[in-house]
């Protein structure tokens, strides 16, 4: 574990690990969305997918534990880097353009990454409370098949608003996060930086709109 200790001791190492964990989480989001899009295929297809997914509880627990470890590592690194950047800059993100101008808060992509990340964390807590932990009132969906349960939960006003807000945070976070991850991994060059940037925006938009479409679809059911 010396390599991990060495990586966490430097800012470059933290950014590298945060990029790796971020891209792994992106991969999970793609797989998760692909499964949820089966809602469009109807109850039979979605129920078969959900039952098969939960048929091996041991494998599911291992996957969930691994995902949680990746997520909390990413979150920890984000907080560590935010604190270190704030200390290094002294004044945070406040800058003066000229000596004759007043103090200006300059909005940078990096400055909203932590905020949008916290928004995503709030969405994830709501999502887990709904579908996994079932912490909210279950009287309106208890005993239902996965398809009907999903539709019922997406009809809930709190879930509806919370999910749409969460997907908006997802777009804002990934629109910069994807290209930033490639840069942290050293995969940046003037020849294809623009392609990485627009590719990241397209990826973020596809994920956000794909998830939002499920909420809008449920509204019409």
């Amino acid at each position: 574990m010396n390599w991990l200790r060495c990586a966490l001791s430097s800012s470059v190492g933290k950014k590298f690990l945060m990029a790796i964990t971020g891209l792994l989480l992106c991969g999970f989001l793609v797989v998760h969305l692909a499964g949820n899009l089966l809602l469009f295929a109807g109850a039979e297809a979605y129920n078969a997918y959900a039952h098969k997914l939960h048929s091996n509880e041991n494998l599911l627990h291992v996957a969930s534990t691994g995902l949680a470890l990746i997520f909390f590592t990413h979150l920890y690194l984000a907080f560590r880097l935010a604190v270190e950047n704030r200390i290094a800059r002294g004044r945070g993100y406040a800058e003066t353009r000229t000596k004759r101008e007043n103090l200006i808060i300059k909005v940078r992509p990096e400055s909203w990454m932590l905020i949008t990340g916290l928004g995503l964390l709030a969405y994830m807590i709501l999502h887990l409370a709904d579908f996994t932990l079932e912490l909210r009132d279950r009287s309106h969906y208890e005993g239902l098949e996965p398809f009907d349960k999903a539709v019922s939960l997406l009809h809930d006003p709190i879930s509806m608003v919370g999910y749409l807000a969460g997907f908006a945070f997802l777009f804002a976070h990934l629109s910069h996060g994807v290209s930033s991850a490639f840069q942290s991994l050293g995969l940046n060059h003037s020849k294809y930086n623009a392609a990485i940037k627009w590719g990241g925006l397209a990826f973020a938009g596809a994920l956000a709109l794909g998830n939002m479409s499920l909420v809008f679809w449920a509204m019409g059911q």
Side-chain angles (χ1 to χ4, degrees):
M1 298 296 288
N2 288 334
W3 67 270
L4 181 59
R5 193 177 299 110
C6 291
L8 292 176
S9 65
S10 68
S11 177
V12 173
K14 292 187 188 75
K15 289 180 179 179
F16 184 87
L17 288 176
M18 190 164 72
I20 292 294
T21 54
L23 292 177
L24 288 173
L25 289 172
C26 285
F28 164 75
L29 289 173
V30 171
V31 174
H32 187 62
L33 175 60
N36 286 337
L37 287 175
L38 287 174
L39 285 168
F40 292 136
E44 184 177 353
Y46 185 79
N47 288 337
Y49 158 75
H51 288 310
K52 186 174 183 179
L53 183 64
H54 292 85
S55 62
N56 193 329
E57 292 293 333
N58 292 330
L59 182 60
L60 190 61
H61 287 318
V62 171
S64 299
T65 302
L67 180 62
L69 181 61
I70 292 171
F71 173 78
F72 284 111
T73 300
H74 188 77
L75 187 64
Y76 165 77
L77 292 170
F79 274 108
R80 281 289 303 272
L81 285 168
V83 171
E84 290 175 5
N85 288 340
R86 182 167 291 277
I87 293 174
R89 287 177 182 159
R91 296 175 300 170
Y93 294 106
E95 296 180 351
T96 51
R97 287 184 178 176
T98 67
K99 294 181 181 180
R100 291 175 292 182
E101 288 180 334
N102 293 327
L103 195 65
I104 297 173
I105 302 299
K106 185 177 180 181
V107 179
R108 302 179 179 182
E110 297 88 344
S111 67
W112 70 63
M113 289 299 288
L114 187 59
I115 297 173
T116 55
L118 291 174
L120 281 173
L121 177 61
Y123 155 73
M124 287 187 62
I125 292 173
L126 174 62
H127 184 60
L128 289 173
D130 278 349
F131 284 90
T132 305
L133 303 176
E134 298 184 341
L135 298 178
R136 300 173 65 196
D137 180 19
R138 293 183 286 177
S139 60
H140 59 293
Y141 64 78
E142 194 166 13
L144 296 178
E145 282 289 289
F147 178 88
D148 297 316
K149 177 183 176 181
V151 173
S152 177
L153 283 169
L154 291 174
H155 265 287
D156 180 82
I158 295 176
S159 297
M160 191 184 302
V161 173
Y163 288 6
L164 289 176
F167 300 143
F169 280 122
L170 178 66
F171 172 76
H173 195 75
L174 294 185
S175 62
H176 173 71
V178 173
S179 58
S180 178
F182 277 89
Q183 183 176 3
S184 296
L185 294 174
L187 302 176
N188 60 315
H189 191 279
S190 57
K191 290 183 178 180
Y192 45 80
N193 279 346
I196 292 175
K197 176 183 176 181
W198 288 109
L201 281 171
F203 178 76
L207 274 181
L209 290 175
N211 282 291
M212 285 181 175
S213 69
L214 296 170
V215 180
F216 293 129
W217 167 84
M219 292 178 186
Q221 298 302 303

